[in-house]
Amino acid sequence: MFRFLARRSLGAIVILILISAITFFLFFALPAEPARLACGKNCDPTSLAMINKNLGLDQPVPVQYWKFMVGIFAGRDFAVGHCDAPCFGYSFVSQEPVWGTIVDRFPTTLSLALGGAAVFLVCGIGIGMIAAWRRGTWIDKFFSSLSLLGASMQIYFVGVLALAWFVSGLGIMDQPAYYPFTDNPAKWFSGMLLPWVVLSLIFMANYSRMTRSQMVEQLQEDHVRTARAKGLSSRTVFFRYAWRGAIAPIITIFGIDLGSLLSGAMVTEYTFTLHGIGRLAVESVQLTDLPMLMGVMLVSSAAIVVFNILVDAAYAFIDPRVRLA
C-alpha cells in the first residue's frame, strides 16, 4: 500500500507541474498585456513600468515560472513586500494575495460540494437499490423513468426555475447565499439548501441508474448464486454479497465527482450567485488574471488528483478481490 501511494503521489506531482507549466506559458502567448490590466484606463508608461517591476513581469517568462514554483514552497519577495508560502503571487486586478483570496472563497465551494454530494449519494444509491430490489415492477419502471428525466436536466435551467418558484414565487425558501457554519449553522443550512437540491437532482439521476445496473449485474454473479444455494435469505444476499461487489464502481465515480465539485461547480455557483472557487476561475479568465488563474488551477487539479488516489487506495478495503501491487 505504501509503495502504491508513493508511486501515485510522485505521478500526481508530475501532473501538477505539467498543468502549471502549460497554463503559465500559454498565458504569455496571448496578445493581452497583464500589467496594463492592473494599471487601469489612465495608464502612463512610468506606471506601467513600475507595475511590471513590482509584479516581476519585467523578467523572462522561464524565470517568472521558476520563481512562481519556488514561491509555492518557500515564499517569495516582491517589490511590494514578502509573500509567505504557499505564495501564488498577487492578483493583477485586485492586487490582493492569491492564496488569501482562494482561502476566503473555498468554504463556499466546500459547503456546496459536501452538502450536495451527501444528498445525491444517499438518495441516488437508495433509489437505485430500491429499483434493483423491485426489478421489473412498476416501482422499478417509475424510478428508471424519473432518473432518465433527471439526467436530461441542466443546472442552469433547473436552478432558474427553482429560484423563480421557491424563492420569488412561493417564498418558502431563502435566497441562496453562503454564511459561515460557525457563525450561524441554521442560516448556513437554509442558504445552501436550494443549491444542494438542484445540484443533487442532476447527479442523483446518474447514481441511481448506475447503482441499479451494478446491482442487477452483481445478482447474476456466481458468488451470489452460491450464496443463494447455501440457503441464505434474499436480504442477506442482496446487501452482503451483491452490494459489496457493486459499490466499487460507484465509489470510483463519486471520487471523481467530489474532486470536480471541490475544484468549483462553476455553473451552480453562477446560477445561485455563490462566490466560490468555480466563479473565481471564470472571473480570472475573463480578467486575464494569471496569478489568480494559476492558483485556482493548481488547487482544483490537486483536489481531483488527491481524490483519485484515495479512491484507488480504497479499492482494497471495499473489494477483497482487488489487490494493489
Side-chain angles (χ1 to χ4, degrees):
M1 177 67 73
F2 176 77
R3 292 177 58 187
F4 167 79
L5 292 177
R7 185 169 63 250
R8 290 299 305 270
S9 298
L10 289 175
I13 293 174
V14 173
I15 291 175
L16 292 177
I17 291 175
L18 289 175
I19 291 175
S20 66
I22 292 173
T23 306
F24 197 95
F25 287 100
L26 283 179
F27 179 87
F28 281 95
L30 298 175
E33 188 176 357
R36 190 169 296 278
L37 294 174
C39 189
K41 296 182 179 180
N42 301 321
C43 186
D44 56 82
T46 303
S47 301
L48 189 64
M50 183 177 298
I51 292 175
N52 276 313
K53 181 179 179 180
N54 291 341
L55 298 178
L57 298 174
D58 57 341
Q59 300 173 341
V61 176
V63 176
Q64 293 185 47
Y65 176 71
W66 171 254
K67 290 186 175 181
F68 172 80
M69 295 302 295
V70 172
I72 296 177
F73 302 98
R76 183 178 174 186
D77 290 320
F78 290 88
V80 294
H82 179 74
C83 179
D84 295 328
C87 177
F88 291 92
Y90 290 88
S91 169
F92 288 163
V93 179
S94 65
Q95 305 300 316
E96 296 292 330
V98 171
W99 180 248
T101 304
I102 293 176
V103 170
D104 291 339
R105 296 283 192 102
F106 190 71
T108 303
T109 299
L110 181 64
S111 297
L112 177 63
L114 294 183
V119 175
F120 71 67
L121 186 64
V122 173
C123 296
I125 292 178
I127 292 174
M129 292 182 67
I130 294 174
W133 179 263
R134 300 297 183 184
R135 182 178 46 161
T137 65
W138 69 269
I139 296 177
D140 179 23
K141 295 177 181 178
F142 173 76
F143 281 131
S144 297
S145 302
L146 198 63
S147 298
L148 184 61
L149 179 63
S152 305
M153 295 294 181
Q154 297 297 327
I155 293 177
Y156 54 81
F157 175 74
V158 180
V160 172
L161 290 181
L163 286 171
W165 288 344
F166 300 111
V167 178
S168 301
L170 300 176
I172 60 177
M173 300 187 74
D174 295 337
Q175 177 68 33
Y178 172 75
Y179 302 96
F181 177 81
T182 54
D183 294 346
N184 192 330
K187 207 169 184 179
W188 168 81
F189 180 83
S190 63
M192 299 298 296
L193 181 59
L194 190 59
W196 288 343
V197 173
V198 173
L199 180 65
S200 65
L201 286 176
I202 310 301
F203 285 90
M204 190 191 307
N206 296 328
Y207 278 85
S208 62
R209 295 170 64 194
M210 185 188 309
T211 301
R212 182 193 179 280
S213 63
Q214 289 296 323
M215 289 297 296
V216 170
E217 181 180 343
Q218 286 297 316
L219 289 171
Q220 308 301 321
E221 293 289 337
D222 292 338
H223 69 282
V224 176
R225 293 178 179 177
T226 302
R228 283 180 178 150
K230 290 180 179 179
L232 296 177
S233 65
S234 299
R235 187 180 300 273
T236 302
V237 172
F238 188 86
F239 289 101
R240 183 175 179 181
Y241 291 90
W243 166 243
R244 191 170 184 178
I247 190 63
I250 299 173
I251 293 298
T252 302
I253 303 301
F254 177 69
I256 297 174
D257 287 341
L258 184 57
S260 300
L261 289 176
L262 287 174
S263 66
M266 289 179 284
V267 178
T268 307
E269 290 179 2
Y270 251 96
T271 301
F272 295 102
T273 322
L274 298 174
H275 297 279
I277 298 297
R279 188 183 182 94
L280 181 62
V282 176
E283 293 172 351
S284 301
V285 172
Q286 293 174 341
L287 299 174
T288 325
D289 193 349
L290 175 61
M292 193 67 69
L293 178 61
M294 288 288 296
V296 173
M297 281 285 294
L298 289 179
V299 171
S300 303
S301 303
I304 296 174
V305 169
V306 167
F307 273 94
N308 277 314
I309 295 175
L310 293 177
V311 167
D312 290 342
Y315 277 168
F317 300 98
I318 297 172
D319 193 339
R321 295 173 298 179
V322 178
R323 291 293 179 264
L324 301 176

